[in-house]
Amino acid sequence: MADFEPRIVAFACNWCSYAGADLAGVSRLQYPPNIRTIRVMCSGRVSPGHIIRAFEHGADGVFVSGCHINDCHYGFGNRWAEKQIEKTLKLVEMLGIEPDRLKLEWISASEGEKFATSIRTFVERIKELGRSPLQR
Amino acid sequence: MEEARSKDEARAAEVASLIKDTRAYLCIDCSKCTGSCPIGKAGSVYSPRLLVQHLVLDGRDPSETEVWRCLTCGLCRERCPSDVDFPRFISRLRATALIDGNLPQTTHGGTFQELMRIQANERLRQNKMDWLPEWVNARGADDLDGSTEDVYFVGCAPYFDVVFADFDLDLKGTHEAALELLKATGLNPVVLRDERCCGHDALWSGDVELFRKLAGRNLEMFKAAGVKRLFVSCPEGYHTFAHEYPAHLGELGFEVINTVKYLADNPPPGFDMEGDTNTGTRPKAGGVVEADGAGDGGAVTCGAAADASTRPEEVTYHDSCRMGRFSGIYDEPRKMLAMTRGVTLKEMEFTRAQAPCCGSNLWINCDSLSKKMQMELLEEARKTGAGVMLTACDKCRIHLACALMQNGHVSDGLKTDNILRFLYRKGVRKT
Amino acid sequence: MTAKAATTGKPTPPRGILVIGGGVAGIQAALDLGKAGAKVYLVERTPSVGGRMAQLDKTLPTNDCSICILSPLLVEALRHPNIDLLTYAEVTALEGTPGNFKARVLKRSRFVNEHDCIGCGVCARVCPVSVPNEFEAGMGDRGAIYVPMAQATPLIYTIDKENCLNFAGGTYEPVCGKCAEACPKKAIDFEIENEEIELDVASVIVATGFDEMNPRPIRNLSYGDHKDILTGLEFERMLNAAGPTGGRVVKPSDGSAPTSLAIVQCVGSRDERYHSYCSRVCCVYSVKQCIVAKDHQPAIKDFHYFYRDMRAYGRGFEEFYHRGRDETGVNFIKSSPASITTGSNDKLRVRYEDPATARPASVDVDLVVLTCAMIASAGTPELARVLGVDVEKDGYFKLKDPLGDPVASTREGVFLCGCASGPKDIPDSVAQASAAGARALAYVGEDKSPVEEGPLPMNDPEEEPRIGVFVCHCGHNIAGVVDSKAVAEFAARLPGVAYATDNLYTCSDDTQTKIEQIIKRKKLNRVVVAACTPRTHEPLFRETCTKAGLNPYLFDMANIRDQCSWVHSDVPEEATEKSKDLVRMAAFRAMNLKPLQRKRVEIDRSALVLGGGISGIQCAIDIARQGLDVVLIEKEPALGGLLRNLDHLFPSGAAASDLLKAKIEELESLPIAVFKGQEIEAVDGFVGNFEVKLKDRELKTGAIILATGGIAREPKGRLGYDEFDNVITSSDFEKTLGGTEKFNEGEHIVFIQCVGAREEEGYTGCSRYCCQVSLKQALEAVKRGAQATIIHRDIRSFTRFGEDLYRDARNAGVSFIRRKDDEDVDVRGNGRAETLGVFDTTLLSDVELECDTVVLAVPLLPSDTTARLGEMLRIPLGSDGFFLEKHIKLGPLETNTEGIFLCGCAQYPKDIPDSLAQASGVAAKVGALLSKPYVNLEPATAFVRRQLCRACGTCVDICEYHAPELKQDETGEYVEINEALCKGCGTCASHCPTSAIVAKHYTDEQIESMIDILFEK
């Protein structure tokens, strides 16, 4: 298990979180190379189907990030995302997938450090959990 | 080239066999199906006859949309003088459509298809039973020793409850009620924590491979558990286990029992026809209303008409396709209602084998026609004056609740309930 | 950055507008003007635009991330074809006459070739010099070659001659050269010289912002003696996640976590020894800092907040102040600290008078934040000389007519906005910026060329995909970690890929030409670039695609630099694998991409102004001056609105009727249709195409402006208003002040503030203008022989000359009683109000006053048509009942509905200058919107597949832009998404139960294809 490298799908909203991830880059903050990011305009675009699909296909973790509540570029998208992810989290848990494998994090464009730390923490947590129960 | 030819050949063979299996060649061009089809009634053009005849006569497949449009409700087959099995005809064609890359239009961003697919994963260990009544013995896939004779199958309700939380339908309540009612009859069924999706939607959407995977995993588990009797409340699940599993995978080696049917045959206390508080008219079992419901005031009062403490409640009952036309269970729910104190059944105009479709199926192709069908069904229910519309199918309930929704809020007025949930609330708890 | 290097040399033929200062105000003005078709030269002294707002962590009261909302504007300005960003430059001369100025600009040498620099930052990493970074308010360091911040716009490095070793002797002497060696593009050239540019400009906008006063001279506060005493801006940087401490709140002295904090207000502000004016923004920004600090550092238990008057006057500010008090636990102490000294245990001791006991007290804290005066930016006197405009005695640029024209300087054709004319918060600054834009635009005349946007090239969506993949090395930035060649080879083998290559610099001009040729030659119908971030470079590559005849929506990017090579530099193999995955995902998405066309909607180039008060009148005037058709509708039989209730005006003392008369005359001199006694009865349509129904006619209009004002609240049942004739409202008293009549000697007029404002029930906010009204009235009453007392809770004279008015009132003998927040004044009398009882928190005792007249300062409430209009136009209202703006900081003039604007008191109570600024500002927005006979709609919107829609209304409920609309025809109900309103977030698509909604360019198929391919074995 020491060699286990988790495969993680990340969703990032264009305005805050994707910009935060870019800032982490500009600041050369290192984090593990386990995530593959899918850019969406708003975290509200991410649907439970996308997340379960990722797990079904073999993701060890799914990371969703958007603007902080009240900061949404569109005003309302992340509030809906929050509800949507809450539901998805329940589904994921019922499917016997550890809920920690799905993480919703609010990251702003100035939070490069937070992006890097969040990914680091998430990857570490996934490593602790080991390979997805569906892939073991 | 070689490959393509063999593919074409396989396809031709499949088409020939499905024509034979569904008796499509017997279509006598009577057009009853087209007139019966709820899609046509809702305002679109859909002719099962034409689709059948095209395939049989000139080998033309249904179009991309036609192949997915059918609701598989079975009303056409019910009325077909030649008993052409159109639902199966179309669902087998769907299998070939999938091979051609023609995919159905899924609802809810494909969430339910993903849930179905992920349940085929052999390593899956689910965690969906935390709501079970305490007394229920729930066993995991790794904890099966062949000693578990009576098993209760829950199905997708826990997932649906999450996705449709806003509708507040308490679909798990159906199974909680079923388990309690079964317990009241003296049973102590076990629940298998890792039961999979029964595969109903996969099968009828043409994804036979996925269906077989799901069914295989379920059967493996049932076998390991030592199941002798499998109790199922969900009409789709019941029909799938009882009919499709044997058809696709051979002899099951255990009995599949519909919960409502079982309860009607073995009424728990509180539903006893000889109940001492029951001074109302005693209906004949299963004979609440004449078949096919002529429906004008055909209501029969029973039970609690004499129970002064309970306000009489008027209900109506919707025969879902998988419960009724597919499984032939019409009388048993009515019998149960007749045995429930304080409940009056007011029948809708079209019941039993003639009952209309709830408008949607398989989490595909839901649209304004679906809504129209649902609105009409709700209107029929309202016309009876009943406050609650009961059904055995929780998917019907979801679809009807959706029809009642406007701007993200379910409007009040007519309520829907699952018959088991209703019976439990009305019956057992009070005793 | 190679896409559009800053313009150098020759002036362009059309007369442009010179905007000086690249802070949020300058950027806003430039964008409004650029969109309206004017050529804009934006001159910024520092190497990057962004100004003060870029330094902020969060903006209040929503605690919105500052850079998140600002940086898209910076990128937009950088890429706008009508805007030339001249950074690291200064204006050195302005000659000529309004409409025909000649400006000279000195572009200082960066010693970096702007065209070649790719902003990779390798140079800064090797620079041996370390000096305090101005952008970090001195809290962090930078090299001699640097960009001020990560989001620097333009992202071009600059060598600071003052600190570079090669210029130690003043002139260039090669001693170091490390950066030049390291630069992968060989962009550094120490021989580059300053450049002088001459520009033809019609008008000038000054948006030079502010500086923070250095509090060092205030010796009793010990700034500079103790490391743990910070200024407000320094603390802001400390709170910023991208700042020197990464957002951690620490004691600079030892890096430990503070547990207590003191905030000291009015350091150098409201202080005649330093700056007598109020800095206007500090009270609430400090509350924000407390809330954020608590969030970032939960160890902080105590916040001691020392203030004089809590000036929480903006929308939501009062509630924000209470949030600080109730949720964060800030201890607000109405007292100004006397000194800060060393306390016990390495703490700082703050001495002050305990307002509750009037005794000296002290508290020991870990960290002190001094909110220092905002002062005119350092270059103001010099720039004033260059521009030939005057400076006010407060150090800021002088306004010619602060009341009637809040943006005009003392030289015609030169306008002021933002903090150039005094401290201001962000929404007031951007409103002014737009206002200055509207005024400046009037001088350009016909020299306008709005950016024409023709139809996009379209490709056959069904065509077999032929994908071209271009993998960038970005010099060493990507290729130093990621094996770009291997990635390109990998890409070449992907299905659908017809061509793949790697480039040293994919963004450079020559590569663009090459890509264009390859697209044509190889008949590519999809393009993927694996390089830096789409946030900055997607527009460039899309342009290249368009030039090559490829629909720009058939393009995708894989971010293998910012989100790969730069963050995984220690694991090159994994980074290469990740790059391959990212390229594979982009290529598969590309296969599923569909060409999109922007829809052109013809628009009606006219505007409709609702409300004929001062805001509506000004707005109509400024729109008409741009040559657009305007209709003004007033529900009353006469124009003037609230201004009709006023007698004379602060600060000039001019008669209100004169101002109104002048404005109405101006209005009537222009071709503006005015309908009085009319209200709108129904509205339909969308941006550019509204249909408005009046009582007797129907109008078509392209834009609607809500200038519906407010009405004074009747103080029914309060303070003897119903009971006594001599208890009146401010507007009643304003009438008494009409004329010049003297008061009886010693007649006592008592003003009671906040009657029905800042209260728990009803109107919770501050009505913003009443303090100054009462100060003005009290001063006038005293001048005419009366005695005056103002009973208040805080005196909120925050406007540019407001503090002078307050001082004048005190000088003239007006008395002030500060009452408790939660205790009303007791008005007693018999037939007439005779005495008042109140607890005076200054004297700490009950006082009793005799009174002849009691004047109640009542708040302004939304006009009675607001709710109805809100419903009709679907413009949401705030909890205060006024119309809600699009964005509390950056969108004060717009609503959530495109094409509908708001100004003046329709948004919330405001004084005349702020209302006028907003009115003119809206005119600029309208000018930009109506600059062309059409608008292009963003193609990446959502649409409903009608046959799948069951009209459940989920989307209608979700979308706050009201883009989805329930409709009905003979076939039934359905939803249609109005492309003109949709912003393309896609939230509706993920919530649509039947998946009838498709979010174009982010479809389920496109997202799923990326997931699927990622895990394909």
Side-chain angles (χ1 to χ4, degrees), chain C residues 221-303:
Chain C
L221 297 183
S222 303
Y223 177 80
D225 299 338
H226 298 275
K227 281 187 169 172
D228 299 335
I229 303 178
L230 302 176
T231 69
L233 203 55
E234 287 168 347
F235 192 48
E236 191 71 30
R237 289 309 298 164
M238 183 186 267
L239 292 173
N240 194 308
T245 62
R248 278 175 309 123
V249 181
V250 294
K251 289 175 67 172
S253 58
D254 60 4
S256 68
T259 61
S260 55
L261 203 65
I263 311 281
V264 181
Q265 289 299 325
C266 302
V267 174
S269 302
R270 299 183 65 190
D271 186 333
E272 290 187 57
R273 286 167 207 282
Y274 303 100
H275 305 283
S276 59
Y277 53 82
C278 165
S279 288
R280 195 162 163 150
V281 301
C282 329
C283 280
V284 273
Y285 93 58
S286 291
V287 175
K288 174 202 74 179
Q289 290 188 335
C290 290
I291 293 174
V292 175
K294 179 85 187 172
D295 188 37
H296 289 196
Q297 182 54 275
I300 307 175
K301 297 282 174 272
D302 299 308
F303 292 89

Side-chain angles (χ1 to χ4, degrees), chain C residues 712-722 727-729 755 856 858:
Chain C
R713 181 194 188 120
E714 270 242 68
K716 286 224 176 301
R718 300 290 297 269
L719 303 164
Y721 178 74
D722 307 320
V727 179
I728 59 175
T729 66
V755 180
L856 306 182
V858 293

Side-chain angles (χ1 to χ4, degrees), chain B residues 239-259:
Chain B
H239 181 261
T240 307
F241 288 125
H243 301 281
E244 307 296 353
Y245 274 39
H248 285 85
L249 298 132
E251 199 59 34
L252 293 180
F254 58 84
E255 199 184 344
V256 181
I257 299 172
N258 179 286
T259 310

